[in-house]
Amino acid sequence: MKEKILDKSAEMFITLGFKSVTMDDIALSLGISKKTIYQHFKNKGDLVDSAVFHLSESICEGIDYICEVSNNPIEELFHIKKFVSDYLKDEKSSPHFQLKKYYPGTYNRLLRKQFEMMQDCVTENIKKGIKCGMFRKEVGIDFVSRIYFSGMIGIKDEDIFPPDIFSQSDLKSKYLEYHIRAIATEKGIEVLKEFINENKD
């Protein structure tokens, strides 16, 4: 039952927002009593924290799988972007903003976990790109992996990128292209152009 509560809660928080969803809403959607939820979680804050890291773990597993089966570092980045966007419903409810505002402790812990995970992922991606000649050998891997993370967090800032002007999906695609062009060789640029042309809507 705990797993079901986590799955449903995470889905509702992402779709409707962390602030909007109540314990009553979750209980009703699962057809259980609120008391059942409290048998597993102390309060809403505890449930939010558990659901966020449950979701994060699932996303990390998916990303690890994509990295394992991918031979093309440029396509890998776009596949990860699509996987995360689909998983988070393209973040239409601004979960990042709501989590930061209403559950700052959970947000800060998640940010540290995301940094560690993304730095490992991007570091391996860059090494893979250098090995196959798509990324430049002189790229400062540690610097680029940190800049990449900083940028991915930055494009979620709704004051800088208002959601009525910029969609998260479009922002991520533009940022990915920006990142790849900054570190790619001529071969990498051609692979990028080819991938973008083949995947136009």
Side-chain angles (χ1 to χ4, degrees):
M1 178 53 71
K2 185 174 183 179
E3 192 83 6
K4 285 185 179 179
I5 294 171
L6 284 172
D7 286 338
K8 177 53 72 174
S9 300
E11 178 190 329
M12 293 179 74
F13 288 143
I14 291 301
T15 306
L16 304 170
F18 288 100
K19 187 174 187 297
S20 311
V21 177
T22 66
M23 300 293 256
D24 285 315
D25 294 331
I26 295 166
L28 185 64
S29 70
L30 286 167
I32 59 175
S33 69
K34 196 159 60 170
K35 184 180 177 183
T36 303
I37 297 178
Y38 284 118
Q39 288 174 353
H40 299 281
F41 305 97
K42 291 180 291 187
N43 50 44
K44 185 181 174 183
D46 184 32
L47 177 56
V48 166
D49 193 82
S50 298
V52 162
F53 285 95
H54 175 71
L55 184 66
S56 175
E57 196 60 41
S58 297
I59 290 173
C60 285
E61 288 174 6
I63 290 173
D64 285 344
Y65 176 75
I66 291 170
C67 294
E68 281 175 22
V69 301
S70 175
N71 294 317
N72 183 320
I74 290 175
E75 290 184 4
E76 179 181 296
L77 289 172
F78 281 97
H79 290 320
I80 289 172
K81 194 271 305 185
K82 184 178 186 311
F83 167 74
V84 174
S85 291
D86 289 348
Y87 213 99
L88 297 180
K89 324 271 187 210
D90 202 15
E91 304 185 86
K92 290 183 172 64
S93 68
S94 303
H96 179 270
F97 171 78
Q98 290 196 16
L99 189 66
K100 184 178 181 180
K101 183 175 182 180
Y102 299 108
Y103 300 94
T106 298
Y107 171 81
N108 288 328
R109 285 176 52 233
L110 178 65
L111 205 60
R112 286 194 294 273
K113 181 178 172 61
Q114 285 179 329
F115 172 70
E116 290 166 7
M117 183 276 295
M118 194 178 287
Q119 192 174 34
D120 287 344
C121 178
V122 176
T123 295
E124 289 308 309
N125 178 267
I126 295 171
K127 287 178 179 176
K128 191 186 292 185
I130 290 172
K131 190 174 180 180
C132 68
M134 292 185 195
F135 297 155
R136 291 181 285 110
K137 290 179 182 178
E138 69 274 15
V139 164
I141 296 176
D142 187 49
F143 171 76
V144 171
S145 66
R146 290 169 188 268
I147 283 290
Y148 182 80
F149 177 79
S150 178
M152 286 300 285
I153 297 301
I155 62 174
K156 293 179 181 179
D157 188 325
E158 295 187 353
D159 290 328
I160 299 173
F161 298 101
D164 57 327
I165 300 176
F166 301 96
S167 76
Q168 272 297 309
S169 181
D170 191 44
L171 274 174
K172 286 175 185 172
S173 293
K174 282 183 166 65
Y175 183 67
L176 263 185
E177 183 175 351
Y178 176 85
H179 163 73
I180 293 166
R181 284 182 179 278
I183 64 174
T185 59
E186 287 185 19
K187 176 183 176 181
I189 294 293
E190 289 308 311
V191 171
L192 173 65
K193 287 178 180 177
E194 189 176 328
F195 180 81
I196 290 173
N197 286 333
E198 287 176 357
N199 291 274
K200 280 181 179 175
D201 294 329

